[in-house]
Amino acid sequence: MHGPVTTTQGDIPAIDWQGAPLTEATCRACAHAALRESGGCEPGRCCMQDAYARRIDRFFRTHPQLANEHLAHPYFEVRAIAARHAELFRLPALLDDPDETVRMQLALRVPQRLLLRMVNDPHREVRIRVAQRIDATALPSMLRDPDYQVRQTVARRLPEGLLPLLMHDADLQVRLDVARRVQMPALWRLVEDPAPEVRRIVAERLPAPLLDALAGDPDWTVRWEAAGRALGHVLERLLGDEEPEVRERAAARRAELECTHG
């Protein structure tokens, strides 16, 4: 039989990485033809010649010992999936692979000394994975990354003492993560952040005696957050706020305090 390999009805056709149909002749010419005879692979389902990543993945999960042999394969999906299973000492050869899919797999596996070489990778998805894994002491090298998601990942893992370095980041999402983690006295500096979303987080975390700085915030949602934690004269001020939602929250806070203190 020399015709195309059949697949389950509705499944993706079995073609190779160059778009040619996979046939019985393809299987006979494959370096792993012996596996077919023993049931170790199945064209259209578990095959490293296939263009479909899921079938390639099944092949290497079944035969991880063969991964080292295919790290230089011309098809990027084969190299990327083989990199998941190859021995670690073989991975440095792929650090400059032209395809980011391959380098993303490396970023998930290589040891720290090699990960440091990837902090300036040209692709953002690779750098995000580097930022997720790199040792916290090396994270400052990624503080000025041009991509906000890389910096956001850094903000989530950076040692608390270094978080003020990202307090004035241009991107809101980065500053939100800083606001959730940064401690006093640096937290106090965020009461003047231009984004109300950041100031709301500050209102949730700032020590209650310092909430006076937010009781007159121009954004009513920030004042609403402050009203839920206010004490003393700050609470009295918010009880007369121009926004009914803020006054209601302040009244609920007063009732809570009266109940607590009898």
Side-chain angles (χ1 to χ4, degrees), residues 136-158:
T137 59
L139 280 170
S141 65
M142 307 188 79
L143 283 170
R144 298 292 175 257
D145 192 278
D147 188 88
Y148 85 92
Q149 284 194 314
V150 176
R151 301 194 307 276
Q152 185 178 24
T153 304
V154 171
R156 291 171 177 173
R157 298 190 58 231
L158 197 65

Side-chain angles (χ1 to χ4, degrees), residues 198-214:
V198 172
R199 301 196 305 275
R200 281 202 297 272
I201 295 174
V202 177
E204 292 172 1
R205 300 187 60 227
L206 203 64
L210 299 179
L211 286 172
D212 191 34
L214 294 170

Side-chain angles (χ1 to χ4, degrees), residues 220-221 223-224 227 238 241 243-251:
W220 74 268
T221 64
R223 303 196 305 276
W224 185 89
L238 291 167
D241 194 272
E243 289 290 335
E245 290 87 351
V246 177
R247 295 197 302 271
E248 289 172 11
R249 186 81 189 273

